[in-house]
Amino acid sequence: MIPQRIYYVWFGKNKKPDNIRNNIASWKKENPDFQIIEINESNFDVYKYKFTEKAYESQDWAYVSDVARIDTLFNNGGFYLDTDVELIKSIEPLRNARSVWGLENSDAINTGLILGSEKGNKTLKELLDIYSKITFKHELKNHLVTVPIVTNYFLKHGFRKINRYQILENDAHIYPVEYFAPLHYWGGGKISKKTIAVHHYAGSWVENNVQWKKYNKEWVKKELILKVPSLFFKVKKMKQSLTS
């Protein structure tokens, strides 16, 4: 069973803005029996991994967080939430799984939405093994985003690119988009009766959010380039078959 703890990461020692303090308050409100624990320089050794060492030295806090959250849950158990996540329901019912994950869209698992795990979880250990072989470089950071790293891992362990609840090996529970990412970072979406949390995509770790917005724009553009033409040709082919 996953312990009643919620972790979040705050490296860099900057002051937390009001929206982040409000989000953390929502965690306490919905989960009064849970401990809320901050992961920072005082309780996580940033030099434990070459990846976090280099990311910390270049002040790329989000990339330090990518590994720190996995390492912390592997060694202690509990849940992790990004600071721009607002809880609107309790996560107590999720504790029976060995690990909990959230879909950002049908083909992307984002540990910032939620990550829950028992102590010593095998899946987390294998993800840490992957990160232990990667060296962080600031100039290549757009190629080291955690979402594809985690998603590619799960694709090798039974994950299917569909927006459905999936239980994979090692009792990893993958929840559909509406549970933890009902509002899309490119706009739109809606909160449903099943929604547990709302990820507001603040991008507080990026100066003025410029690079975050650029990354999102490039991702959407890539999706359109890849998917729209194929859809166009499918429709064209259908029309040709109907008129022939």
Side-chain angles (χ1 to χ4, degrees), residues 6-9 23 27 62 65-67 69-70 73 79-87 91 100-104 108-116 127 131 145-148 150-151 154 179-181 197-203 205 212:
I6 297 176
Y7 292 92
Y8 69 97
V9 166
N23 289 333
W27 309 348
S65 170
D66 293 340
V67 181
R69 69 187 68 164
I70 298 173
L73 294 194
F79 291 91
Y80 168 84
L81 297 172
D82 269 356
T83 52
D84 52 3
V85 170
E86 175 189 2
L87 282 180
I91 57 175
V100 174
W101 312 76
L103 286 174
E104 184 171 68
I109 298 169
N110 185 343
T111 61
L113 305 175
I114 190 168
L115 174 57
L127 285 171
Y131 271 106
V145 177
T146 191
V147 173
V150 172
T151 302
F154 275 109
Y179 282 82
F180 300 105
V198 179
H199 195 228
H200 292 289
Y201 296 102
W205 46 274
W212 173 247

Side-chain angles (χ1 to χ4, degrees), residues 229-242:
S230 63
L231 179 60
F232 171 79
F233 286 117
K234 284 180 182 179
V235 172
K236 184 178 180 180
K237 189 174 182 181
M238 286 176 65
K239 287 182 177 180
Q240 289 175 343
S241 65
L242 289 172

